[in-house]
Amino acid sequence: MPDYVDEEISRKPYDPKIMRRLLNYMKPYWAPIMLCIALLFLMTVGNIVTPYLMKLAIDNYIYNISAESIRGIARISVIYLAITVATAIMNYIQTYVLQYTGQRIIYGMREEIFSHIENMPLGFFDKNPVGRLVTRVTNDTDTINEMYTSVIVNLFRDVFMLVGIALAMLWLNYKLALVAIAFLPIVVLLTVFYRKQATEAYRLVRVRLARINAFLSEHIMGMRLIQIFHREERKQQEFEDIDEKYFEANMKQIKVFAIFRPAMDVVYSLTLAAVLWVGGGGVLRGVLEFGVLYAFVNYIMQFFQPIYEMAEKYDILQAAMAAAERIFILLDQKSSIEDPADPVLLDHVKGEVEFKNVWFAYNDEDWVLKDVSFHVEPGQTVALVGHTGAGKTSIINLLSRFYDIQKGQILIDGINIQNIRQADLRRHIGVVLQDVFLFTGDIKSNIRLNEENISDEKIKEVAHYVNADKFIESLPAKYDEPVMERGATLSAGQRQLLAFARALAFDPEILVLDEATANIDTETEALIQDALEKLSRGRTTIIVAHRLSTIQHADKIIVMHKGRIREEGTHQELLAKRGIYYALYQLQYKNMEIDA
Amino acid sequence: MVEFRTLRWFFSKYKARYIYGILCLLAVDVLQLVMPWLLGLITNGLKQGTMTYASLGKYAIIIVAIAVVIMILRYIWRLLIIGGSRLLEKELRDRFFAHLTMLSPRYYNMHKTGDLMAHASNDINAVRMFIGQGIAMATDSFFMIIASLIVVFMAIDWHLSLLALIPFPIMAASALIIGRFIRDRFEDVQRAFSNLTDMVEENFSGIRVIKAFVQEKAELKKFAKANKHNMDMNMRMVKLWGIMDPLMQFLSALSFIIVLYYGGMMVVNDQINVGDFVAFNGYLGMLIWPVISLGWVVNMAQRGVASMKRINVIMHEQPEISDENPLDIEEIQGNIEYRNLTFSYEPNLPPVLKNISFKVKQGETLAIVGRTGSGKTTIINVLLRLYRVEDNHVFIDDTDINRIPLKVLRESIGYVPQDNFLFSTTIAENIAFGLDSYTMEQIEQAARIAQLYDDVMSFPEKFNTIVGERGVSLSGGQKQRVAIARAIVKDPKILILDDSLSAVDTGTEERILKGLREVRHNRTTIIIAHRISAVKDADQIIALSDGQIVQRGTHEQLVNQPGLYKDLYEMQKLEEELERTQ
C-alpha cells in the first residue's frame, strides 16, 4: 500500500546547514550554472530594451513624423527582430543547460543514496519499510531537483528583472518612475499576505486529500467487511463528509486565488492610471515625450511579475528543505557491519563450520540464540529442527554475517567470519531462502542473476541437475520465459527448484537452505528431494528442515528450542532418546510417512 | 464527447451556475477589450492636443473603475465555474464510492486497489480540469479571438490585421502539436520514473538474495542504467518542452514587429492615426493568451474524454449481488439449511463445494474442521451472500437465502473473519462498527466477553486508543479479540467464527467460548477451527475435505472413528504434551 501520509520531519522552514550541504552538490557544475546566470542577464537586458526600442520608434518616427521616419522605422524593426531572435535562442540554451545540470546533480545524488542503502546491513532493512526507502531515492530527490532548477538559478532572473526595469524607468524619467515604484510596497504586501493565505489553504487541501486517499484505500481493502456488516450507507455518509471537507478546502483555495490575481490587476491599473495622469500631464505640457509614456505602460506590465514569482518559490524551497533533511539523515547513518581493515583472504574453503558459544539478539537483550555451539565437518549435512521461533533461521542468517552476533564466535575453516570480507565470505555460501524471491526478468536471469560469465549452457546444466528443467522446458518461452510480478505464476515447488538452480550455478562450498513449508504437490516434492540430495553431495549443507526425508538423510540433526540446542545426533540416536525430537517426530512427521 | 453524457445530472442540476459564470466571463472579456481602445483615445487626444487635465483625470478614473469591475466579475466567474468543477469532482467521487460499495468481492479479486485509487484521483481530476478550467478557457479564447478580430478588422485596418495576425495560427498549431509531442515524451518520462521506482523497490525487497549472492555491485550498475535512462528521458522532453516558451515569445514578438514596421509606415503615410497604432498593439497583446490556450484546451479535452471513459466503465459495472424480488421479512430466527449445494467461484473452474447438505437449528452450534483449501470459508461466503448461489440450495428459516433482503440477512449475522481487518480508528469505533449508535456499556460488555477488556484498559487511551499505523499496533491475538467483540456487540442471531481463535491461547479461547454460551442461548453459532478444544462442545461437527463432507457427528462420535477428526485430535494431544515437557 502506498504511503499517502507524508512524513515531514522538518519543522524549520529554512536551515542554513542543510542549504550549505545542498549548495555543495552544485559546486562541480559552477561553469554551466554561471553560463545560465549570464544568459538570464542578457535575456533580461533584451526584455528591457525592446519597450525602449518602441519608445524610440514612436517618439522619433511615428508620433513625430519626419523624413527620416521610413528608414528609422525599418532600422528599429530589424534591431527589434534581431534582439527577439537572440533572446529566444538564449532562452532555449539556458533552459536546456539548466535542466541538464539539475538532472546531472540528481543523477549523482540518487546514485549516492541508492548505493548507501544498498550497502547497509539487513538489520537496517528490518527497521525501515521499503516504501519509505524508495521515496528517498526517487521522490525526495525530485523535489530537490525542482529547487535547483526553478528556485536557485531563476531567483537571479527575478532580481535582474525587478532591478533592470526599475533602473530603465528611472533613467527614462525619474519622476514617473517614482510614481510607479511607489506602488511596489502595495504589491509586496499583497503578495506576502496572499502567500500566507495560499500556503495555509494549500496545506489544508493536501491534508484533506491525504485523508480521502487514506480512507479510500483502507475502505476498498476492507470493502468485504463493510458489506458483511451492511455498513454501505454509513460508510458512504462518512466518505461524503470527508469529501465535503476536501471540497471546502478547495473552495477556500479558489477564493484566495480568485481574489489575489484580479487584485494584482487592479493595482496594475491603478499604477497605469497614475502614470497616465502624471505622464499625460507631462506630455500636455510638452515636458515628456509620448514614447516614454508608452514604454512605461509596457514596463509596468512586467514590473510586478518577479515579486509574485519569488513568493511562489518559497513553497518549493520549503518542500526541498524537508526532503533534503530526510535524505541527509539517511546518508549520515553508518553501516553497523563493516569489513575488517585487514581481512583474511579466502580463496578456497573446505567447508568446516563452527559456532562457538554464540549469543545473538535482533534487539537489545531479546536473545534469539543462547550459547549455541556446534561443529560441522566439511561435506556433512546438518538438519536444524524445532518449532517456529526456535532460532533456526537466525543460524542461517548469522553464517552469512547478515547480522553480527553479540557474544561468541562463528568460524569457517577455523577463521572467524568477522575477519573475512563480507563479499568473500558470501561467495562461498549458497543460500536458498524459504520464500524464494524472484526478480523481474526471465528464467535465465533469475538463475544467473547478474553474473554474465555463467553461460546459457551452464544454466541448462544446473537446471537439469536440480530437476528444474522439466517445468522450464514446458513453459512457452522455456529459459526466456518472462518472470512477472515476483513469479506469481509459478508454484511454490517450482520456485524452490529455481532457487536450487540459482544456488548451484554459483557452485558454493557451503550450502544453507531454509526448506519451504508451503504445500507442494507430491510429484514436485519428489523432484525437490532428489535435487536436494544431489546438491548436498560433497558440500557442507545446513538445512532448516521441515520434511522427514530431508532429516533422515542428514548426518546430524540439531534440535533447537527457544534459542538453545536441546538435542543433537542422528535420526536413530534421537529417536532412541525419546526426548523432544521423538515428540516432534510423532507430531509433525509421522503422518507424512504414512501419506508417502 | 458522448462520454460526458453520463454527467447530464450535473449540468441540469447546476445549469444556472454555469450560465451566470459564462456571462460574467464574457463581460470581463468585453471590458478588457475597452482598455486598448481607451489607450488609443488618450494617445490621439494627447497628439491632437484636445486632451485637458480634467479629461485625463476622467480617463484615469475610468481605467481604475473598469479594473475594479473586472476584478469583481472575475472573482464571481472563478467561484461559479472553477468552483463548479470542484463540486462536480466531489459529487462524482461520492457516486464513485457509492458504486464501489455495491460491487461484490469477485470484482475486488479482479481489480487492484491501486488501480481503483488511480481512477478515483487521476481520472476524476482530468474530468474536473476539463469541466472547469477547460470550459472557461475555451469560452474565453473563442470569444476573445472573435471579438478582437472583429475590432481590428472593422475598426482599424484589415490590411494591417491580416499581416499582423500571420504568426497567430502558427502559434495555435504549434501549441497543439508540440503540446501533444511533449505529452508523449512526458509519458515516457513517467514510465522511466516508475521503472526506476520499480527497480529500486524490487532491489530493496530482494536485498537478502542480493547480499547472499554478493550482487551489490552488479545491482548498482543496473540501477545506474535505470537512473541514466530516467535522466535521458527527461532531457529528451526538455529538448522539446524548452522550445515552447521561446517559440511563443518569438512568434508574438514577430507580430509586434510587423505592426511596428507596417503599422508605423501606415501612420507615416497617414493611413491610420497614432491612437489606432497604440490600440492595435494593445489588442495584439490581448490575443496572445487565448490563442496559446486554444491548443491547451484541445489537449485537456482529449485527456478528459479518455478519463471519463474509464470512469464510465466502472460506473456501468452491474453489482453482482443485490436484492432481486425480496420477500417482506424483517427478522430471521437462525435455522440454517444447505441442500445439495455444489458451488464454484467461476463457471469454468472446478467446484469448491460438492454436494454439501447440513441443517443447523436455531440456538445450535455447528463446527467445521478441515485442512486449508478444503472449502470451509466458502461455506461462510455463501451464507453471507458474498457470492451468488443458485436458488433452492441454501435456506434460512426455510426461506431461500436469495429472497431474504440483504440488509436483514447481514444485520442478523455476526461475522469474525480470518484476516482480522481493523480500521484505523479507535478501538471503541472498531467494536461499534456494525452499530448505528452505541453506549459505552455495550462496548465494554462485548469487550469483556471477547476477553479484550483487560488489554484495552492497560492502554493509556483505553477504548479511545487508535488502532494501526497512527496508533498502537495490536498483537494478532488482540486484533482477533477486537474482531470478536465487533461481531458480538451486534447481538446477532447467527454468529460465525471463521478460524478466529487461532491467535489466542487455549485458556483465553475457553473463556471466550464460555462467555458466548452464557450471553445468549438461542443464538446459532458456526465455528471454523483447527483446535479440537474450540469445536468439541459443538452440537454438530462436520469435517471437510476437498469440498466434500467426509465426516459428521459429535465429538464423542468422531473421536472414536478413524479419519480426519481423530488425526486432528491426536496431533493436538501430542502438542499439549510437548508443551508440558518443556
Side-chain angles (χ1 to χ4, degrees):
Chain A
M1 181 189 145
D3 202 0
Y4 290 110
V5 193
D6 49 7
E7 5 118 34
E8 275 171 43
I9 312 165
S10 183
R11 290 282 162 264
K12 265 191 284 181
Y14 180 84
D15 185 338
K17 245 195 272 165
I18 293 176
M19 196 59 192
R20 217 170 302 135
R21 212 163 152 183
L22 278 174
L23 288 178
N24 260 339
Y25 281 89
M26 292 179 92
K27 258 191 196 154
Y29 303 96
W30 65 271
I33 288 170
M34 289 313 289
L35 173 68
C36 284
I37 294 175
L39 286 173
L40 279 172
F41 180 75
L42 291 175
M43 279 157 62
T44 315
V45 172
N47 283 338
I48 292 171
V49 166
T50 41
Y52 181 69
L53 280 177
M54 284 301 269
K55 177 232 169 252
L56 283 184
I58 290 171
D59 278 346
N60 297 351
Y61 312 116
I62 298 174
Y63 196 76
N64 307 305
I65 298 162
S66 68
E68 279 292 291
S69 280
I70 294 194
R71 268 184 45 212
I73 292 172
R75 202 173 55 229
I76 288 179
S77 299
V78 171
I79 297 172
Y80 198 133
L81 185 65
I83 291 178
T84 306
V85 172
T87 324
I89 293 173
M90 286 192 290
N91 189 347
Y92 185 73
I93 296 175
Q94 186 271 135
T95 308
Y96 189 85
V97 172
L98 182 60
Q99 291 294 329
Y100 183 73
T101 309
Q103 288 290 333
R104 287 297 321 187
I105 296 176
I106 292 315
Y107 174 84
M109 197 183 257
R110 282 197 172 128
E111 197 151 75
E112 185 186 350
I113 303 168
F114 181 80
S115 71
H116 180 79
I117 297 176
E118 189 79 356
N119 288 315
M120 290 304 254
L122 274 188
F124 172 83
F125 291 90
D126 297 339
K127 281 186 207 107
N128 295 282
V130 169
R132 211 163 282 177
L133 294 177
V134 173
T135 308
R136 296 297 158 274
V137 181
T138 54
N139 300 62
D140 282 346
T141 43
D142 241 17
T143 312
I144 291 175
N145 184 22
E146 221 190 317
M147 186 203 69
Y148 284 130
T149 51
S150 49
V151 179
I152 295 184
V153 174
N154 273 300
L155 207 60
F156 285 94
R157 182 210 293 259
D158 296 331
V159 173
F160 289 154
M161 209 58 193
L162 198 67
V163 175
I165 290 178
L167 285 178
M169 289 196 299
L170 284 169
W171 180 69
L172 275 176
N173 184 301
Y174 75 94
K175 266 190 204 152
L176 213 49
L178 289 179
V179 172
I181 293 171
F183 285 90
L184 206 56
I186 303 180
V187 175
V188 173
L189 275 177
L190 202 64
T191 310
V192 169
F193 178 71
Y194 163 72
R195 272 331 302 174
K196 253 193 202 140
Q197 300 282 312
T199 309
E200 180 52 30
Y202 179 60
R203 196 192 59 80
L204 202 65
V205 165
R206 258 187 21 203
V207 167
R208 295 195 172 162
L209 179 64
R211 203 182 296 162
I212 285 197
N213 282 332
F215 185 95
L216 265 178
S217 91
E218 185 177 18
H219 285 74
I220 289 175
M221 285 191 288
M223 192 58 82
R224 202 175 110 98
L225 206 64
I226 292 169
Q227 290 173 345
I228 291 171
F229 278 76
H230 202 71
R231 294 286 97 186
E232 292 95 331
E233 278 164 32
R234 174 83 175 265
K235 285 296 170 187
Q236 172 69 18
Q237 197 53 55
E238 268 178 49
F239 183 71
E240 282 180 18
D241 288 346
I242 61 168
D243 207 6
E244 176 75 33
K245 284 270 185 310
Y246 175 57
F247 169 73
E248 281 164 12
N250 273 317
M251 286 310 282
K252 203 172 151 196
Q253 197 188 16
I254 289 173
K255 276 181 199 158
V256 170
F257 190 72
I259 290 177
F260 174 71
R261 282 320 287 259
M264 282 286 273
D265 285 345
V266 170
V267 178
Y268 162 68
S269 295
L270 270 174
T271 319
L272 187 68
V275 165
L276 278 179
W277 195 57
V278 176
V283 177
L284 280 182
R285 276 182 281 124
V287 291
L288 188 78
E289 291 168 308
F290 175 77
V292 173
L293 196 56
Y294 185 86
F296 263 78
V297 173
N298 272 322
Y299 282 137
I300 294 166
M301 231 185 274
Q302 300 179 58
F303 192 39
F304 299 144
Q305 194 61 23
I307 302 209
Y308 178 67
E309 303 258 322
M310 278 193 266
E312 199 94 303
K313 280 164 191 141
Y314 187 72
D315 279 355
I316 304 175
L317 187 71
Q318 246 183 332
M321 294 299 270
E325 183 170 7
R326 292 193 292 258
I327 288 176
F328 292 150
I329 286 175
L330 176 72
L331 286 179
D332 292 341
Q333 278 184 55
K334 291 271 168 295
S335 170
S336 58
I337 296 183
E338 293 284 340
D339 277 334
D342 190 15
V344 177
L345 290 179
L346 204 61
D347 279 339
H348 185 74
V349 166
K350 283 185 292 167
E352 185 193 354
V353 174
E354 189 177 5
F355 272 55
K356 255 192 194 165
N357 308 99
V358 171
W359 287 75
F360 170 68
Y362 290 99
N363 315 305
D364 300 331
E365 302 248 304
D366 229 347
W367 298 114
V368 180
L369 293 184
K370 297 170 201 159
D371 199 25
V372 168
S373 300
F374 64 88
H375 185 249
V376 188
E377 296 292 337
Q380 262 194 341
T381 297
V382 169
L384 299 170
V385 299
H387 274 297
T388 8
K392 299 165 293 182
T393 306
S394 299
I395 288 183
I396 284 187
N397 283 334
L398 294 178
L399 189 60
S400 297
R401 211 182 159 206
F402 286 146
Y403 302 87
D404 263 342
I405 54 175
Q406 279 81 354
K407 279 184 252 178
Q409 278 186 322
I410 299 173
L411 309 165
I412 285 183
D413 287 4
I415 307 166
N416 188 334
I417 59 168
Q418 300 205 353
N419 296 328
I420 307 168
R421 259 203 300 261
Q422 293 166 68
D424 283 350
L425 169 72
R426 289 173 192 158
R427 220 164 265 138
H428 296 286
I429 303 174
V431 180
V432 177
L433 299 167
Q434 198 174 43
D435 296 317
V436 177
F437 190 92
L438 296 182
F439 294 89
T440 313
D442 52 27
I443 297 283
K444 264 196 311 209
S445 70
N446 265 295
I447 293 176
R448 71 154 70 102
L449 296 177
N450 300 302
E451 297 299 322
E452 291 305 326
N453 54 6
I454 297 177
S455 66
D456 286 7
E457 285 69 43
K458 172 92 179 166
I459 288 173
K460 283 185 188 154
E461 193 191 309
V462 296
H464 174 74
Y465 192 76
V466 300
N467 304 325
D469 55 338
K470 285 180 201 68
F471 92 84
I472 297 173
E473 299 280 351
S474 72
L475 297 170
K478 304 198 166 63
Y479 288 86
D480 296 317
E481 179 76 7
V483 171
M484 317 274 253
E485 290 181 42
R486 311 265 155 89
T489 48
L490 299 173
S491 77
Q494 291 170 335
R495 294 152 66 102
Q496 185 93 29
L497 289 176
L498 265 186
F500 284 176
R502 187 192 274 167
L504 184 63
F506 285 77
D507 199 19
E509 287 91 346
I510 301 169
L511 180 71
V512 292
L513 199 145
D514 206 343
E515 228 173 10
T517 44
N519 292 325
I520 290 170
D521 60 277
T522 27
E523 200 184 332
T524 315
E525 180 69 50
L527 292 178
I528 289 178
Q529 287 307 327
D530 180 59
L532 189 56
E533 198 265 319
K534 284 198 257 178
L535 266 180
S536 59
R537 227 176 268 163
R539 214 185 294 273
T540 308
T541 309
I542 300 177
I543 309 178
V544 173
H546 301 288
R547 288 183 174 71
L548 185 65
S549 49
T550 312
I551 299 168
Q552 282 173 327
H553 288 128
D555 298 305
K556 191 187 332 191
I557 297 164
I558 295 176
V559 183
M560 303 280 305
H561 190 75
K562 293 190 176 157
R564 284 185 195 277
I565 295 182
R566 298 287 295 263
E567 287 168 15
E568 204 174 328
T570 64
H571 179 64
Q572 293 309 329
E573 284 166 13
L574 292 179
L575 279 187
K577 229 179 175 177
R578 298 227 153 211
I580 300 178
Y581 181 75
Y582 176 77
L584 265 174
Y585 171 70
Q586 294 282 321
L587 178 64
Q588 284 179 330
Y589 309 112
K590 214 178 128 204
N591 286 333
M592 290 176 194
E593 203 173 31
I594 298 161
D595 284 351
Chain B
M1 287 294 171
V2 273
E3 280 77 15
F4 288 101
R5 219 179 279 161
T6 40
L7 294 183
R8 212 182 287 148
W9 53 270
F10 176 77
F11 289 110
S12 62
K13 194 166 161 193
Y14 297 108
K15 209 188 299 158
R17 197 184 179 106
Y18 268 81
I19 290 173
Y20 289 128
I22 285 173
L23 285 178
C24 286
L25 179 63
L26 295 182
V28 168
D29 287 349
V30 171
L31 286 174
Q32 275 184 306
L33 285 169
V34 173
M35 282 293 212
W37 178 67
L38 275 179
L39 287 180
L41 281 184
I42 296 171
T43 309
N44 279 341
L46 288 174
K47 166 97 174 129
Q48 287 148 13
T50 51
M51 189 69 76
T52 60
Y53 262 116
S55 54
L56 204 54
K58 209 170 65 196
Y59 277 120
I61 290 168
I62 293 175
I63 288 175
V64 174
I66 289 177
V68 171
V69 175
I70 286 182
M71 178 175 106
I72 294 167
L73 288 174
R74 267 204 184 136
Y75 180 75
I76 296 174
W77 83 248
R78 283 194 156 271
L79 233 52
L80 289 175
I81 296 184
I82 307 293
S85 71
R86 287 289 178 185
L87 212 55
L88 168 83
E89 179 193 14
K90 177 188 140 45
E91 296 197 9
L92 191 57
R93 198 183 281 120
D94 284 349
R95 283 171 178 241
F96 184 78
F97 184 76
H99 191 71
L100 288 186
T101 63
M102 290 190 291
L103 297 174
S104 64
R106 193 193 303 277
Y107 184 83
Y108 290 100
N109 289 343
M110 289 186 304
H111 296 84
K112 288 194 223 142
T113 306
D115 289 345
L116 292 172
M117 292 288 299
H119 291 306
S121 51
N122 303 348
D123 283 337
I124 291 182
N125 257 336
V127 171
R128 192 252 309 161
M129 285 291 280
F130 173 64
I131 295 299
Q133 209 87 304
I135 286 184
M137 263 159 99
T139 315
D140 185 51
S141 296
F142 196 68
F143 182 79
M144 278 301 261
I145 290 169
I146 301 279
S148 308
L149 286 183
I150 290 174
V151 173
V152 291
F153 274 92
M154 305 289 285
I156 301 179
D157 182 275
W158 68 269
H159 289 282
L160 181 59
S161 306
L162 216 53
L163 270 176
L165 291 175
I166 290 174
F168 279 77
I170 308 175
M171 252 157 105
S174 39
L176 179 65
I177 296 165
I178 299 180
R180 198 163 298 165
F181 279 116
I182 289 178
R183 205 174 90 206
D184 286 348
R185 292 196 178 182
F186 181 67
E187 276 164 16
D188 288 340
V189 168
Q190 282 180 313
R191 257 193 295 280
F193 186 75
S194 81
N195 177 37
L196 181 73
T197 310
D198 289 349
M199 194 261 141
V200 174
E201 210 257 345
E202 182 170 274
N203 178 290
F204 291 166
S205 305
I207 192 77
R208 215 166 257 274
V209 178
I210 289 163
K211 288 195 177 287
F213 287 86
V214 202
Q215 298 294 304
E216 291 100 327
K217 284 213 183 90
E219 287 292 313
L220 277 178
K221 255 188 228 148
K222 235 158 100 184
F223 172 79
K225 218 171 122 196
N227 197 4
K228 180 83 185 355
H229 179 68
N230 178 59
M231 176 171 130
D232 291 345
M233 285 297 116
N234 268 293
M235 287 321 293
R236 198 168 151 263
M237 185 187 70
V238 167
K239 257 183 218 163
L240 210 57
W241 165 74
I243 291 177
M244 262 316 228
D245 198 31
L247 183 68
M248 293 302 152
Q249 261 180 8
F250 171 73
L251 286 172
S252 55
L254 199 60
S255 210
F256 280 111
I257 293 167
I258 293 171
V259 177
L260 171 62
Y261 180 75
Y262 195 72
M265 294 300 170
M266 287 175 89
V267 177
V268 174
N269 296 332
D270 208 17
Q271 284 160 298
I272 56 170
N273 57 42
V274 190
D276 287 343
F277 177 82
V278 171
F280 201 100
N281 272 319
Y283 285 119
L284 272 188
M286 223 157 258
L287 263 175
I288 296 169
W289 261 110
V291 169
I292 295 177
S293 61
L294 214 55
W296 289 353
V297 170
V298 174
N299 289 336
M300 215 184 267
Q302 283 174 336
R303 227 167 305 167
V305 167
S307 287
M308 197 68 230
K309 226 184 249 171
R310 284 193 287 268
I311 295 171
N312 285 341
V313 169
I314 299 179
M315 296 300 278
H316 290 154
E317 182 82 28
Q318 287 298 323
E320 183 191 344
I321 292 149
S322 57
D323 283 326
E324 308 150 30
N325 189 19
L327 292 171
D328 187 21
I329 295 172
E330 281 180 9
E331 212 185 18
I332 61 172
Q333 304 303 318
N335 299 293
I336 301 167
E337 188 183 356
Y338 279 55
R339 269 185 224 157
N340 309 321
L341 173 69
T342 297
F343 176 83
S344 57
Y345 281 106
E346 296 291 337
N348 50 352
L349 287 180
V352 195
L353 295 178
K354 295 168 200 158
N355 205 22
I356 298 286
S357 297
F358 62 83
K359 249 185 184 174
V360 192
K361 282 211 215 72
Q362 182 187 1
E364 280 187 355
T365 298
L366 168 76
I368 308 175
V369 296
R371 292 218 167 82
T372 323
S374 57
K376 291 169 298 190
T377 297
T378 307
I379 291 187
I380 306 302
N381 284 343
V382 164
L383 191 64
L384 287 162
R385 272 184 78 190
L386 292 174
Y387 293 86
R388 238 193 103 74
V389 284
E390 282 170 44
D391 286 350
N392 293 322
H393 286 292
V394 182
F395 299 86
I396 290 181
D397 301 343
D398 293 321
T399 309
D400 191 309
I401 194 171
N402 288 332
R403 303 212 54 197
I404 301 174
L406 269 177
K407 179 178 156 64
V408 175
L409 176 77
R410 289 184 180 164
E411 281 184 354
S412 316
I413 298 179
Y415 174 66
V416 189
Q418 257 171 28
D419 58 6
N420 308 317
F421 186 93
L422 299 183
F423 290 93
S424 45
T425 170
T426 63
I427 292 180
E429 286 287 337
N430 263 298
I431 294 176
F433 180 62
L435 302 176
D436 292 324
S437 61
Y438 64 92
T439 62
M440 269 325 281
E441 285 76 55
Q442 274 176 291
I443 304 291
E444 284 169 18
Q445 158 85 347
R448 278 203 186 89
I449 298 172
Q451 301 298 314
L452 179 70
Y453 189 79
D454 294 340
D455 292 59
V456 173
M457 293 322 266
S458 72
F459 299 141
E461 299 284 322
K462 312 234 162 13
F463 278 96
N464 290 324
T465 305
I466 306 256
V467 175
E469 250 186 79
R470 313 209 115 198
V472 172
S473 59
L474 302 180
S475 73
Q478 286 168 332
K479 279 192 202 160
Q480 260 183 1
R481 281 173 281 151
V482 174
I484 292 170
R486 176 174 66 192
I488 54 186
V489 80
K490 283 172 73 179
D491 194 15
K493 293 277 164 31
I494 300 171
L495 179 68
I496 301 171
L497 301 169
D498 187 354
D499 197 9
S500 336
L501 296 163
S502 57
V504 299
D505 60 75
T506 4
T508 312
E509 173 190 279
E510 212 176 303
R511 283 195 294 278
I512 293 175
L513 291 173
K514 189 164 155 261
L516 286 177
R517 272 194 300 274
E518 278 165 8
V519 211
R520 199 170 159 165
H521 301 283
N522 55 354
R523 176 184 293 150
T524 312
T525 308
I526 300 180
I527 299 179
I528 294 177
H530 286 293
R531 257 184 269 172
I532 297 295
S533 52
V535 304
K536 64 179 191 309
D537 294 323
D539 300 293
Q540 194 185 167
I541 300 168
I542 58 180
L544 274 186
S545 177
D546 204 16
Q548 279 170 307
I549 297 181
V550 288
Q551 278 184 303
R552 64 173 88 211
T554 62
H555 176 74
E556 280 67 34
Q557 291 166 342
L558 293 179
V559 87
N560 289 318
Q561 52 179 262
L564 193 73
Y565 192 81
K566 194 171 179 230
D567 291 350
L568 208 64
Y569 176 70
E570 301 215 315
M571 278 245 265
Q572 195 174 323
K573 251 181 30 189
L574 260 166
E575 191 150 6
E576 278 164 20
E577 240 165 75
L578 190 65
E579 201 63 41
R580 228 172 301 134
T581 58
Q582 286 149 22

